Amino acid sequence: EVQLVESGGGLVQAGGSLRLSCAASGFTFDDHAIGWFRQAPGKEREGVSCIASNDVNTSKYYSDSVKGRFTISSDNDKNTVYLQMNSLKPEDTAVYYCAATKGFCSADYNDMDYWGRGTLVTVSS
């Protein structure tokens, strides 16, 4: 069965770093785009980053709010996607979700086919 499992969330001080992991199973990783979304209390779910790759090219997406601070990467052999988050700000506090869709990346959460259950990231000031 299809599964996406996030890990790596926690509490960190402003300016610190966290690395989130998304382990995927039950589908062909290379045929899907994997994205990270986040949702803060009282706010809409927003796309944070996304990656889609094959044996010759890798496409990546970052929202304007995280460009230069977050880095997405993948290990296709392990069916795992990572989100390295540096220079964290209190505004980054949210539940972070891993999601997958067939084809290429989308910043619209409605386009995603599979979802993990989320991992909470809390950034203190």
Side-chain angles (χ1 to χ4, degrees):
E1 61 184 82
V2 174
Q3 280 191 312
L4 294 169
V5 181
E6 304 97 333
S7 62
L11 174 64
V12 64
Q13 292 183 340
S17 299
L18 286 173
R19 189 184 74 161
L20 305 183
S21 298
C22 173
S25 62
F27 60 91
T28 304
F29 184 86
D30 288 345
D31 293 336
H32 289 71
I34 308 296
W36 288 98
F37 294 76
R38 67 186 183 187
Q39 188 164 23
K43 295 186 177 181
E44 295 291 320
R45 188 170 300 188
E46 63 173 337
V48 175
S49 187
C50 187
I51 186 169
S53 63
N54 53 39
D55 58 347
V56 294
N57 286 307
T58 299
S59 299
K60 298 179 180 180
Y61 163 84
Y62 300 97
S63 66
D64 290 340
S65 63
V66 308
K67 284 181 180 177
R69 299 189 297 121
F70 291 10
T71 303
I72 193 168
S73 62
S74 65
D75 185 336
N76 289 359
D77 291 336
K78 296 182 178 180
N79 283 294
T80 300
V81 170
Y82 307 95
L83 184 67
Q84 179 67 45
M85 305 186 296
N86 298 327
S87 301
L88 284 162
K89 305 175 181 179
E91 301 85 77
D92 296 317
T93 296
V95 176
Y96 283 71
Y97 298 91
C98 176
T101 185
K102 296 179 180 179
F104 297 100
C105 289
S106 174
D108 188 345
Y109 66 85
N110 291 301
D111 291 336
M112 310 309 289
D113 299 310
Y114 311 112
W115 290 88
R117 305 191 76 87
T119 185
L120 177 63
V121 172
T122 302
V123 184
S124 62
S125 60

